[in-house]
Amino acid sequence: MDKMLYIAASGAKQDLMATSIRANNLANAQTTGFKAQLEQARAMPAFGQGLPTRVFNVTESPSNNYESGPLITTGRPLDVAVQGPGWLSVQTPEGQEAYTRSGSMTMTADGALQDSKGNLVLGENGPLFLPVPVTNVTIANDGRISGRLQGAPANQIDEIGRLKMVNPALDTMKRRNDGLFDLKDGGIAPQDITVGVGSGMLEGSNVNAVNEMVSMISLQRHYEMQVKLMKKADQMVTSSNTLLRII
């Protein structure tokens, strides 16, 4: 009886964890540059001083879906979408370097480039600060930022910075709690000049909302089955106790 109850309770717990991963994906179906989390369950024997007679399951997110999302045309000169493999580099408020596919940028009053979460966008030599005032800002395919500086002729466009774009191996990257990515070893990825961007567009989330909904329904059904097993185990224990009282 205890084996049945243990297995059912363990399964219900893991179903809830898997549902939370799927729900997070679904909640970010419209988040720019979001990469869906993958989830899987596997059996794990419980080893102790006796024989491994108990087996429980573990739900984990071993990796992420790194496929590119759909391109959304915005027309904003500070919106960029990474073309193919690669990442944009940003600096978190803690001063750490992290990576994102969300290329929605804004410029502060002092000329600092920020992403949609307020992180500083990094260039080849650190955070990017554009000289202000500056007009006609454009971002080329190779990440070079150009614009017309104050006092310059109307037809003069100067290069004022370059985005730091990287392309580390995907198996060396991990998701942070804030949705950004960094390297598993805590290192810093080098600039990769082969990474390109498209200006005036953004990369949408690669979450397939229909698949996520189907998976959540399946997990809910499985959770309900585990709860029924726990109730059945309780009924069997109650029946056994009744028999013992009769004897």
Side-chain angles (χ1 to χ4, degrees):
M1 222 75 68
D2 63 326
K3 294 182 181 179
M4 177 180 175
L5 183 60
Y6 183 87
I7 293 173
S10 174
K13 176 184 177 182
Q14 301 306 317
D15 284 338
L16 286 177
M17 294 177 63
T19 300
S20 68
I21 294 176
R22 296 292 183 174
N24 181 63
N25 286 343
L26 196 58
N28 287 280
Q30 301 297 324
T31 302
T32 302
F34 183 80
K35 299 302 177 188
Q37 287 181 271
L38 304 177
E39 61 90 9
Q40 69 177 18
R42 58 190 177 95
M44 288 289 292
F47 293 95
Q49 295 183 357
L51 295 175
T53 59
R54 300 292 187 273
V55 177
F56 62 95
N57 64 342
V58 173
T59 297
E60 57 189 1
S61 179
S63 185
N64 306 280
N65 179 3
Y66 290 110
E67 293 183 1
S68 299
L71 295 180
I72 305 169
T73 301
T74 65
R76 289 187 67 245
L78 291 181
D79 283 347
V80 295
V82 178
Q83 306 291 295
W87 303 81
L88 299 170
S89 304
V90 297
Q91 185 181 81
T92 66
E94 297 77 27
Q96 300 173 331
E97 181 169 321
Y99 310 107
T100 180
R101 296 275 294 193
S102 177
S104 178
M105 297 181 289
T106 57
M107 186 173 63
T108 64
D110 60 354
L113 278 185
Q114 295 182 338
D115 68 1
S116 57
K117 296 181 179 179
N119 301 305
L120 291 174
V121 177
L122 292 178
E124 294 177 307
N125 301 307
L128 280 170
F129 286 85
L130 306 186
V132 289
V134 61
T135 57
N136 299 339
V137 177
T138 59
I139 301 178
N141 179 262
D142 60 0
R144 297 180 189 274
I145 305 173
S146 303
R148 178 177 174 270
L149 304 180
Q150 185 181 29
N155 61 348
Q156 179 176 324
I157 302 297
D158 298 303
E159 182 181 327
I160 51 182
R162 185 176 185 178
L163 297 172
K164 179 184 178 182
M165 297 180 289
V166 302
N167 188 23
L170 295 179
D171 59 0
T172 65
M173 303 187 71
K174 63 180 177 67
R175 185 191 298 268
R176 295 161 46 100
N177 292 332
D178 55 8
L180 300 173
F181 291 79
D182 58 14
L183 299 184
K184 294 178 181 178
D185 61 3
I188 296 177
Q191 169 91 345
D192 189 336
I193 61 175
T194 64
V195 179
V197 296
S199 181
M201 61 182 67
L202 294 172
E203 179 186 350
S205 170
N206 69 351
V207 172
N208 187 315
V210 175
N211 288 346
E212 297 299 330
M213 283 296 298
V214 171
S215 296
M216 287 187 65
I217 293 172
S218 177
L219 287 168
Q220 181 64 31
R221 296 286 187 269
H222 196 261
Y223 175 81
E224 292 172 355
M225 182 185 69
Q226 304 287 7
V227 172
K228 288 179 180 179
L229 285 174
M230 286 187 280
K231 291 181 178 179
K232 189 65 176 178
D234 181 61
Q235 292 173 0
M236 293 172 68
V237 170
T238 302
S239 299
S240 298
N241 291 337
T242 302
L243 290 173
L244 288 175
R245 286 196 297 267
I246 295 174
I247 295 174

